[in-house]
Amino acid sequence: MQVGFALDNANVLAQANSFKEQADAEAQWTNYFTDAVRVIRKSLSREDIFETSVKEVRRVMNSDRVVVYGLSSESNGVVIAESVSPGFTKAVGVTIKDPCFEARYIEKYQNGRVKATANIYEANYTSCYIEQLEKLEVKANLVAPIINEGKLLGLLVAHHCSQPHNWLAHEIKFFSQIAMQVGFALDNAKVLAEAGNLRKQADTETQWTQYFTETVKLIRQSLVKENILETATEEVRRVMDSDRVVVYGLNQESFGIVSAESVSPRFTKALGVTIKDPCFEARYIEKYQNGRVKATANIYEANYTSCYIEQLEKLEVKANLVAPIINEGKLFGLLVTHQCSKPRHWEQHEVRWFSQIAMQIGFALDNAQIIEQNSQTSELTQNQQQNIFLPQQEDLREVVIELSKNNQMIFKAFWNKALILSNHLDACRKQIQQMFETAKVMTTTASQAEQQVQKNYDLLEEERANIKSTLESISALEEAVSHGGIKVKQLNQHCQNLFNLINQLAAHLGKPNNSSYSMNGHFAENNLANGYGETVIVHTDDIHKLKEQLLEVIVETQPLLTSEMAEINQIVEVMEDKTQQISTWAKSLQTNEQKLDCIATVNMQVGKLVCDINQTAAIQTQTFQQAEQNMVLAEQVVEHIQEKLQFFTKWFAQLTTFAQNNTQKIIFWEHLKGFLASFHRLITSFTQKK
């Protein structure tokens, strides 16, 4: 019975050691996981995330190779990242194909399948797939999916190349969690990159809006056509950092001729050169009249005619950008910028700015023509009317000219404000669209984070259940150890009693007893007298032999009992020590349980926060949609105002011409003076209100 108690006690101690080893291993791999995630999250680009992940996983798991196997449209079946031990074949860039993979396993990995293979030759792989693995010396592998934005981006794969390997449960758990974290890190990097791009785009829009206002201001300072074109080409080449900017004439005076140019000193001058394309007038005049803007990154890839390319080659042109200049509703010419050193990709903001400047050149030419016509008309009127109503006419003429200039300046200022407002509205609308896209990304990311929070909650509940079960086992273990200790102490007491009894027996057998000898002597004499002498002698010899044998057994038993008692005392001490350790582990697990409760509380708070973020992102998405609609309506209003301003400008120019042709009619001049004054007040009031 006591031996059975000792065996039970040994089993209890073995279970206690097993629990401690499991707890220590779990704590160690949890530290590995948190350290690896912290390192991975420091990377902000896709390539850095993959590179860091494979290095960290191979370091922690001590495997021979860790790779990321691409399954996206860009890298299907290709090893896109690798960390490998020296002495083994490098796999990065290698294509690994399994004909059955897509049909049999894609959906499974999409749903979270994790596959651990201890020996590839016992895994029922296809022969061609085994051949590809043999090229990389693979003996065992572990595979987990990388999910990004809800799609299977690739697989995280660990290889053992030196020998087969039995993957432990904590290794598989760590590996699958890291694969999941790689997907989250990619989501996080994308959100940060998009936010950075938005900031960069906003800064770019602000910078190019500043370029626009400065360039328009310089162009409008010129009041002569030649000066306007010269200023425009210089400013456009400076801002866009191109090799040449020209104005290609399409009016009657300069059809097909370069009428203005700004060119880098190392390239051929094109001023005055005639550039003819036989197909241009038939195919493109109407398109440019309707506002066509053409950006060509490489003239040899633009399907140009051979003769047109020859003419461009004479001017070393590699890339060009073309926008129409509209003057008085007609196609005056083309504003063209050339890149001669090499082909060039024209950015969207460059194309938009360039087309707006071409439009402003047309407005500046309109304004210069109006001023020139007013000046000519004023001189003609002065020559014709110098002797007729000279005092009244001079006074009225000055008033009309002053009102005309004031109204023209008001129209010009109002037009510029409307144009700047249009540009700002366009930039705001694009920024709102970008913020709308960001809000949608935030909604998606928040949903994924909410799912992860739920997964974390489930894992915490599972760990709490495990700890509770472990505590219950430890409690039963403590009770069993305590009961075993009592039984062992009882066994020790029994052994001690037996030891004392044996000592007493040994002492008694070792001492001579006179009374016994005397009694035995009388008994022997009586037997001898009665004729039983031989029998008595025989029994006495047997008794002496048994006594000697008993003494020998006692001598052999005493050291054994002494040794067993010593071992039992050691067992008692060990059991008491283990009982204290088990109590300490129980307290530690209770502390961990409390910490898990805290983590669960924090996780619930995070879940609530993520839910609030998701709701806020949805509201912002709706707000951005409404704001975008309002911006579109505002742009339509601004376009309508610009059309009306053009109409008023032309009408005012015609009115001025008509008035100058009727300067002899003093009554007309008086009425015109009053009308222009009223019209000036009306326009001024309208401008202030707008």
Side-chain angles (χ1 to χ4, degrees):
M1 181 183 295
Q2 298 302 322
V3 175
F5 290 148
L7 292 174
D8 291 340
N9 181 62
N11 290 333
V12 168
L13 294 177
Q15 290 178 3
N17 289 328
S18 177
F19 282 135
K20 184 177 185 302
E21 290 175 358
Q22 290 178 5
D24 292 343
E26 191 70 27
Q28 183 65 48
W29 282 89
T30 300
N31 291 334
Y32 289 155
F33 174 75
T34 55
D35 292 343
V37 170
R38 183 168 56 251
V39 174
I40 292 171
R41 286 297 181 94
K42 289 181 180 179
S43 303
L44 297 180
S45 69
R46 174 172 168 166
E47 293 74 15
D48 290 343
I49 290 172
F50 287 152
E51 191 71 23
T52 303
S53 300
V54 295
K55 286 182 179 178
E56 282 298 304
V57 172
R58 190 173 76 82
R59 179 185 65 81
V60 172
M61 298 188 66
N62 196 27
S63 53
D64 296 322
R65 181 189 296 109
V66 176
V67 302
V68 174
Y69 180 71
L71 289 175
S72 64
S73 56
E74 303 172 356
S75 57
N76 191 11
V78 179
V79 176
I80 57 179
E82 179 189 32
S83 175
V84 61
S85 297
F88 293 106
T89 304
K90 292 185 177 180
V92 66
V94 172
T95 300
I96 303 175
K97 287 291 186 181
D98 183 356
C100 304
F101 179 81
E102 188 168 357
R104 296 171 57 184
Y105 301 116
I106 284 288
E107 185 176 356
K108 293 181 179 180
Y109 281 113
Q110 176 72 43
N111 295 329
R113 164 193 171 104
V114 177
K115 177 66 174 175
T117 302
N119 191 331
I120 65 171
Y121 300 105
E122 300 174 357
N124 198 26
Y125 287 156
T126 60
S127 58
C128 59
Y129 183 46
I130 288 180
E131 288 178 3
Q132 296 182 75
L133 293 178
E134 286 176 339
K135 294 178 182 178
L136 300 176
E137 302 113 336
V138 179
K139 301 294 187 302
N141 63 5
L142 176 59
V143 185
I146 299 174
I147 306 297
N148 178 229
E149 296 183 343
K151 298 179 181 179
L152 182 61
L153 177 68
L155 301 175
L156 184 65
V157 186
H159 290 162
H160 267 277
C161 302
S162 55
Q163 60 185 0
H165 178 76
N166 288 321
W167 303 97
L168 301 178
H170 55 262
E171 291 179 324
I172 297 173
K173 182 178 179 181
F174 166 83
F175 191 76
S176 60
Q177 289 178 341
I178 289 296
M180 185 184 299
Q181 290 299 320
V182 171
F184 292 147
L186 292 172
D187 291 338
N188 183 59
K190 183 177 180 181
V191 171
L192 294 176
E194 289 177 349
N197 290 335
L198 287 177
R199 287 194 297 269
K200 184 177 180 180
Q201 290 176 6
D203 294 341
T204 301
E205 288 292 338
T206 302
Q207 183 65 53
W208 283 84
T209 300
Q210 182 68 25
Y211 290 156
F212 174 79
T213 55
E214 293 174 354
T215 304
V216 170
K217 182 178 179 181
L218 288 173
I219 293 174
R220 288 299 181 91
Q221 289 177 354
S222 302
L223 300 178
V224 181
K225 181 180 75 173
E226 290 75 12
N227 293 339
I228 291 171
L229 299 181
E230 182 179 353
T231 302
T233 54
E234 288 288 344
E235 281 302 303
V236 171
R237 190 171 75 85
R238 181 186 66 82
V239 172
M240 298 195 68
D241 194 26
S242 54
D243 297 324
R244 182 188 295 109
V245 177
V246 301
V247 174
Y248 180 70
L250 290 174
N251 58 358
Q252 293 180 352
E253 301 174 0
S254 58
F255 192 88
I257 300 175
V258 177
S259 56
E261 179 188 34
S262 174
V263 61
S264 179
R266 60 196 180 101
F267 295 106
T268 304
K269 292 184 178 181
L271 186 62
V273 172
T274 300
I275 303 176
K276 291 289 185 179
D277 183 357
C279 303
F280 180 81
E281 187 170 358
R283 296 171 58 183
Y284 301 115
I285 285 289
E286 184 177 356
K287 293 182 179 180
Y288 281 113
Q289 176 71 43
N290 295 330
R292 164 192 171 102
V293 177
K294 177 65 174 176
T296 303
N298 191 332
I299 64 171
Y300 299 104
E301 299 174 358
N303 199 25
Y304 286 156
T305 61
S306 57
C307 60
Y308 183 49
I309 288 180
E310 288 178 3
Q311 296 182 73
L312 292 178
E313 285 176 340
K314 293 177 182 178
L315 300 176
E316 302 115 332
V317 178
K318 302 293 188 302
N320 63 5
L321 176 59
V322 184
I325 299 174
I326 307 298
N327 176 225
E328 295 184 336
K330 298 179 181 179
L331 185 60
F332 172 82
L334 301 176
L335 182 65
V336 186
T337 181
H338 291 160
Q339 197 69 30
C340 302
S341 56
K342 58 183 178 180
R344 173 174 174 174
H345 171 72
W346 305 100
E347 300 292 341
Q348 184 178 2
H349 58 265
E350 294 177 327
V351 176
R352 184 170 62 252
W353 181 87
F354 187 78
S355 62
Q356 291 174 346
I357 291 298
M359 186 184 299
Q360 288 298 314
I361 293 173
F363 294 149
L365 291 174
D366 290 340
N367 184 57
Q369 288 179 352
I370 291 173
I371 293 176
E372 184 178 0
Q373 290 174 1
N374 289 341
S375 177
Q376 292 174 356
T377 303
S378 177
E379 292 177 1
L380 179 61
T381 301
Q382 184 178 2
N383 292 332
Q384 290 178 348
Q385 302 298 327
Q386 60 182 347
N387 295 320
I388 303 174
F389 308 116
L390 187 58
Q392 296 87 348
Q393 287 179 311
E394 183 64 25
D395 180 55
L396 291 173
R397 186 183 67 80
E398 290 178 356
V399 171
V400 170
I401 291 174
E402 182 179 359
L403 290 174
S404 175
K405 289 182 179 179
N406 289 339
N407 287 329
Q408 288 174 0
M409 291 176 64
I410 291 172
F411 277 125
K412 178 179 178 181
F414 188 43
W415 171 264
N416 287 334
K417 290 180 180 179
L419 184 61
I420 293 173
L421 176 60
S422 176
N423 292 332
H424 283 300
L425 287 174
D426 183 61
C428 290
R429 183 177 62 81
K430 291 178 179 177
Q431 291 176 1
I432 288 174
Q433 179 64 29
Q434 292 168 348
M435 289 189 287
F436 172 66
E437 296 297 331
T438 302
K440 291 201 303 185
V441 173
M442 286 177 60
T443 302
T444 303
T445 304
S447 298
Q448 294 175 351
E450 193 171 2
Q451 294 175 0
Q452 180 59 26
V453 167
Q454 183 60 40
K455 290 181 180 178
N456 291 342
Y457 179 77
D458 294 339
L459 289 174
L460 287 172
E461 288 298 319
E462 181 182 350
E463 290 299 326
R464 290 172 66 181
N466 291 337
I467 289 177
K468 183 177 181 181
S469 175
T470 304
L471 286 173
E472 292 175 354
S473 300
I474 289 177
S475 178
L477 182 63
E478 284 181 328
E479 183 177 354
V481 169
S482 177
H483 183 70
I486 294 172
K487 294 296 182 180
V488 170
K489 288 181 179 179
Q490 291 176 354
L491 176 62
N492 186 30
Q493 185 62 42
H494 291 321
C495 290
Q496 182 67 40
N497 294 336
L498 178 61
F499 181 76
N500 294 334
L501 183 60
I502 289 173
N503 284 339
Q504 293 175 2
L505 180 60
H508 181 74
L509 292 175
K511 293 180 180 180
N513 194 321
N514 294 328
S515 60
S516 298
Y517 282 126
S518 177
M519 186 180 296
N520 290 334
H522 291 299
F523 180 72
E525 289 176 357
N526 291 331
N527 285 326
L528 288 172
N530 293 326
Y532 298 107
E534 294 181 359
T535 303
V536 171
I537 294 172
V538 170
H539 286 297
T540 303
D541 292 338
D542 290 340
I543 289 171
H544 282 292
K545 289 179 181 179
L546 290 174
K547 178 181 177 182
E548 291 175 356
Q549 291 176 359
L550 182 59
L551 286 173
E552 290 177 358
V553 170
I554 289 172
V555 170
E556 292 176 356
T557 302
Q558 283 178 331
L560 292 176
L561 281 174
T562 303
S563 175
E564 290 298 325
M565 289 173 62
E567 291 181 359
I568 289 172
N569 289 331
Q570 291 178 357
I571 290 174
V572 170
E573 292 176 358
V574 170
M575 290 183 68
E576 290 176 350
D577 183 57
K578 293 299 180 181
T579 301
Q580 293 178 355
Q581 291 184 7
I582 290 172
S583 177
T584 303
W585 296 340
K587 292 179 181 178
S588 176
L589 286 174
Q590 289 173 349
T591 303
N592 290 338
E593 186 178 20
Q594 294 174 356
K595 291 181 180 179
L596 282 178
D597 290 338
C598 295
I599 294 173
T601 302
V602 173
N603 190 68
M604 291 177 63
Q605 294 173 352
V606 171
K608 183 179 179 181
L609 178 61
V610 169
C611 184
D612 293 341
I613 292 173
N614 198 2
Q615 294 176 355
T616 304
I619 295 172
Q620 288 181 346
T621 302
Q622 296 176 356
T623 303
F624 289 150
Q625 287 178 329
Q626 185 63 39
E628 186 177 14
Q629 294 175 0
N630 293 336
M631 295 299 293
V632 171
L633 293 176
E635 287 182 341
Q636 293 175 354
V637 171
V638 171
E639 290 177 359
H640 180 70
I641 291 173
Q642 289 177 331
E643 292 176 357
K644 294 300 181 183
L645 282 174
Q646 280 186 322
F647 171 77
F648 277 130
T649 301
K650 293 181 180 179
W651 178 81
F652 192 83
Q654 294 174 357
L655 178 63
T656 303
T657 303
F658 176 77
Q660 290 172 344
N661 292 334
N662 292 274
T663 53
Q664 294 181 357
K665 299 178 180 180
I666 187 64
I667 297 176
F668 171 80
W669 277 85
E670 291 292 343
H671 288 295
L672 181 62
K673 177 181 176 182
F675 170 75
L676 290 175
S678 299
F679 188 72
H680 175 72
R681 289 194 296 272
L682 175 63
I683 292 299
T684 304
S685 175
F686 179 72
T687 304
Q688 292 174 350
K689 290 180 180 179
K690 288 295 180 181

